[in-house]
Amino acid sequence: MNTGVKITAFAAALAATFGTAYGVGKGVGPVDEPKKAEHAGHAAQDPQKASGHEGHEEGAPASAAALPGGLQISQDGYTLALETPTPAVGRSTLKFSIKDATGRKVTAFTTEHGKELHFIVASRDLDTFRHLHPVKAADGTWSVDADLPTAGGYKAFADFKPAAPGAEGVTLGADLSVPGAYAPKPLPAVASTATVDGYQVRLAGVLDPGKAGELKLTVTKGGKPVTDLEPYLGAYGHLVALRDGDLAYLHVHPNEGGPGPDVSFTAEAPSAGTYRLFLDFQHEGKVRTASFTVKAGATGKAAAEPAGAATHDAGGHTHG
């Protein structure tokens, strides 16, 4: 048998054994087509690659739930829809809604920490912080007045839990842009104390990357401990933590305790870096905000400076 006959016989044997998977009888050689079939099968078994997430390492979380809150405008089928994305400098009314996967406005929410929805607005340089209390209309549109003192970039956060079976808490984030000349302010220095309206608040504890830890804040006035703090949002204090750079929103949980002077929280930083902490506390019928710059390091030991560090005033941190 010559060489041509041998090749023909070999091809026939392949066709008899494997059918047309190798393209025999279609003018396609038996070399390239198996690679295509093998690749197609691999893609079907690898949903990360099929969806364009080839960069994830095996075992790495790819879901939105693995990310810190506030980094996405849509998550778990819910979207933060801003109706006023470019408010003017000064006081203006912000309107927004939460839409479900069908595009309908959500009207039913679960009350958490005294509110159906918590709405935070912070400037990109973290100099301005607003913890606002919007009012919901019957159609699911929320509105609230906000004072945004300077032009520039801001971010709005909606922290809520839909009143739907099996629903979990969601924090969505969307950009706001206030037109006008903008000069970002430098981040305040790391410090363990802050002053606001004659109150001094001291921070103790560390913010560890990837590890939950206690943050204790002690409120004093005129050198005396404040022991009659008033409940605010279901606790004696409310703490928001934002990561410098992308404004990732950290879920910080209050611990049980009395009406001062100590207010304790459990917090976990998603990464090393610099964070801003904003403590809301109520005394004598008024809510005040004390703010801190802290660092979370790779060793988990970097936090606020020790006692005696410089203090700073809360500045542009108000409520609505």
Side-chain angles (χ1 to χ4, degrees):
M1 183 182 295
N2 60 29
T3 302
V5 174
K6 288 182 180 180
I7 293 176
T8 301
F10 179 65
L14 285 177
T17 304
F18 299 105
T20 59
Y22 285 83
V24 177
K26 295 183 179 181
V28 180
V31 178
D32 294 335
E33 195 65 23
K35 291 183 180 180
K36 293 181 181 180
E38 180 183 356
H39 177 75
H42 179 70
Q45 296 175 7
D46 192 341
Q48 289 186 357
K49 289 188 177 182
S51 60
H53 296 291
E54 296 94 336
H56 289 291
E57 295 181 0
E58 185 176 357
S63 67
L67 297 173
L71 294 180
Q72 302 185 108
I73 197 170
S74 295
Q75 181 181 328
D76 298 341
Y78 297 96
T79 297
L80 172 56
L82 296 178
E83 296 183 14
T84 50
T86 55
V89 172
R91 198 162 188 85
S92 60
T93 300
L94 304 180
K95 292 186 177 183
F96 66 95
S97 62
I98 304 299
K99 294 185 177 181
D100 62 18
T102 68
R104 296 179 179 177
K105 294 181 179 180
V106 178
T107 58
F109 298 84
T110 300
T111 298
E112 293 191 315
H113 301 296
K115 299 290 181 180
E116 285 189 312
L117 181 145
H118 296 270
F119 193 63
I120 305 293
V121 176
S123 59
R124 280 284 176 180
D125 61 6
L126 292 173
D127 181 69
T128 299
F129 175 85
R130 301 286 186 260
H131 188 162
L132 305 170
H133 303 298
V135 176
K136 183 185 65 178
D139 69 346
T141 299
W142 296 83
S143 60
V144 65
D145 288 342
D147 182 16
L148 305 179
T150 61
Y154 291 78
K155 193 164 188 178
F157 302 91
D159 190 351
F160 62 93
K161 182 178 180 180
E168 298 183 354
V170 181
T171 302
L172 302 178
D175 289 336
L176 289 171
S177 180
V178 178
Y182 171 56
K185 295 182 180 179
L187 205 66
V190 171
S192 63
T193 55
T195 58
V196 52
D197 292 347
Y199 293 83
Q200 185 179 65
V201 183
R202 185 175 299 278
L203 170 65
V206 296
L207 191 59
D208 281 340
K211 180 181 178 182
E214 182 186 23
L215 296 175
K216 185 174 72 174
L217 296 109
T218 303
V219 183
T220 61
K221 185 178 183 181
K224 297 180 180 180
V226 177
T227 58
D228 57 345
L229 292 173
E230 298 158 0
Y232 176 65
L233 299 177
Y236 289 107
H238 188 273
L239 187 66
V240 170
L242 300 175
R243 183 169 60 188
D244 182 39
D246 60 2
L247 274 63
Y249 183 103
L250 278 63
H251 287 281
V252 183
H253 305 284
N255 300 323
E256 292 185 4
D262 297 332
V263 186
S264 175
F265 301 86
T266 297
E268 178 181 336
S271 70
T274 304
Y275 295 79
R276 287 284 280 167
L277 306 184
F278 301 94
L279 171 70
D280 296 332
F281 65 95
Q282 182 168 303
H283 189 239
E284 297 179 346
K286 183 178 179 180
V287 177
R288 297 166 175 85
T289 303
S291 56
F292 303 83
T293 300
V294 301
K295 288 186 179 293
T299 62
K301 296 301 180 182
E305 292 291 338
T311 64
H312 81 280
D313 191 84
H317 311 139
T318 62
H319 303 263

